Amino acid sequence: MNQFSLASKVVVVTGAAGLLGKNHVQAIISAGGEPVLIDINKSRLQSVVKEFNESYSVELEHFAIDISDENQVKTCCENILLKFGHIDGLVNNAANNPKIEMNGVNEQSRLENFSIKNWQEDIAVGLTGAFLCTKYFGAAIAKQGGSIVNISSDLGLIAPDQRLYEKSGLAPENQPVKPVTYSVVKTGLIGLSRYTATYWAKQGVRCNSLCPGGVENSQETSFVTKLTSLIPLGRMAKQSDYQGSLVFLLSDASSYMTGTELTADGGRTAW
């Protein structure tokens, strides 16, 4: 079981103050690692750090930066190396969560109406941010080897089932949908994982994608019912369901696994 240990490992987590980000951090701490938290939302980040510091009697390093800004990422990486001397892991978790907006007319989530502004913002965080973090933190990892985990999605493997979001009484052209950027970002992260895995293989860097399914988070009952009917295990994921998968991918337990996808979706993509 020592293969699952992250003792002495410094692991950078982006989007660390978000729903899954907090659970990623908790998993790393529980496995003995040293997570470094990154999030653009300073107040939320400080609140999360305070919570962990009190619960685990730790002093977590954290940075409130915009990962789509190269200078901020570069400076952050330099500061982490000054503090710890090495970086052993990276979890590219940060992403915008494009909203399904229902206004009954010219539904903005639909492809025909999706704005270039929203497209650019979502791509900037989800893909450009992951690229920049890989460029700097990944290069630091390549100095001694380690693991990068890109948080993709089951929707990086399959198309969203837009029937899940249908609302009665709305015309087809006004029905809300899962925005295009979600699929593009999550699919792009899988490509980034494969590229990185082969690019730094000789340096001992492994890179894989974790493809989680939907996480239960107070969604409408009708949505949960429709989604769970598509999942063989008959439920959405709990917030903690991906902790074991993340530790596995970051640790030596997955030492012969790189450039691939670990799918944890309750079996949805098996149907």
Side-chain angles (χ1 to χ4, degrees):
M1 296 302 293
N2 289 337
Q3 293 183 49
F4 291 89
S5 173
L6 297 178
S8 77
K9 305 291 187 183
V10 176
V11 183
V12 177
V13 182
T14 68
L19 179 68
L20 283 184
K22 291 171 60 178
N23 281 276
H24 298 333
V25 170
Q26 185 180 49
I28 293 164
I29 294 173
S30 298
E34 181 80 49
V36 177
L37 287 66
I38 291 177
D39 202 284
I40 195 171
N41 190 319
K42 185 176 181 178
S43 61
R44 190 170 63 185
L45 178 61
Q46 290 175 334
S47 176
V48 168
V49 169
K50 182 175 183 291
E51 177 184 335
F52 278 116
N53 286 350
E54 293 175 352
S55 299
Y56 292 91
S57 298
V58 294
E59 290 294 333
L60 296 180
E61 196 72 20
H62 59 284
F63 298 88
I65 67 166
D66 178 358
I67 61 169
S68 68
D69 184 315
E70 182 165 10
N71 287 330
Q72 290 187 43
V73 174
K74 180 176 182 291
T75 300
C76 179
C77 184
E78 291 169 348
N79 288 332
I80 293 172
L81 290 172
L82 281 174
K83 168 77 174 182
F84 297 102
H86 58 98
I87 298 173
D88 307 284
L90 167 65
V91 182
N92 276 319
N93 171 73
N96 282 351
N97 185 16
K99 301 300 181 183
I100 297 172
E101 303 170 7
M102 294 174 291
N103 56 20
V105 59
N106 295 327
E107 170 55 45
Q108 296 304 298
S109 63
R110 297 191 67 84
L111 182 61
E112 299 90 335
N113 304 322
F114 200 75
S115 72
I116 188 66
K117 177 177 180 292
N118 286 341
W119 168 274
Q120 291 172 336
E121 289 176 351
D122 293 346
I123 298 298
V125 177
L127 282 182
T128 304
F131 156 69
L132 290 173
C133 288
T134 301
K135 177 179 178 179
Y136 289 98
F137 302 127
I141 294 170
K143 293 179 180 179
Q144 78 283 316
S147 177
I148 298 172
V149 181
N150 291 323
I151 306 299
S152 180
S153 167
D154 56 356
L155 298 186
L157 302 169
I158 59 173
D161 187 339
Q162 305 295 8
R163 295 172 298 180
L164 292 170
Y165 313 102
E166 288 180 351
K167 299 293 180 181
S168 60
L170 292 179
E173 66 272 15
N174 291 326
Q175 288 289 347
V177 295
K178 190 73 169 180
V180 60
T181 45
Y182 191 86
S183 289
V184 170
V185 166
K186 296 306 184 182
T187 304
L189 287 173
I190 292 174
L192 179 62
S193 295
R194 293 171 180 164
Y195 183 92
T196 306
T198 54
Y199 185 79
W200 278 320
K202 291 182 179 179
Q203 286 76 22
V205 178
R206 297 182 300 104
C207 185
N208 295 287
S209 300
L210 176 58
C211 299
V215 179
E216 192 165 357
N217 187 34
S218 302
Q219 293 93 340
E220 292 183 5
T221 301
S222 59
F223 172 81
V224 174
T225 300
K226 286 190 285 186
L227 179 54
T228 53
S229 71
L230 303 176
I231 301 172
L233 288 186
R235 67 173 178 86
M236 294 180 69
K238 301 172 186 175
Q239 293 183 22
S240 61
D241 271 341
Y242 304 115
Q243 292 187 339
S245 300
L246 182 74
V247 170
F248 170 69
L249 290 176
L250 286 172
S251 71
D252 291 341
S254 59
S255 60
Y256 198 57
M257 185 173 175
T258 194
T260 191
E261 302 82 52
L262 178 58
T263 306
D265 63 352
R268 182 182 178 185
T269 54
W271 262 345

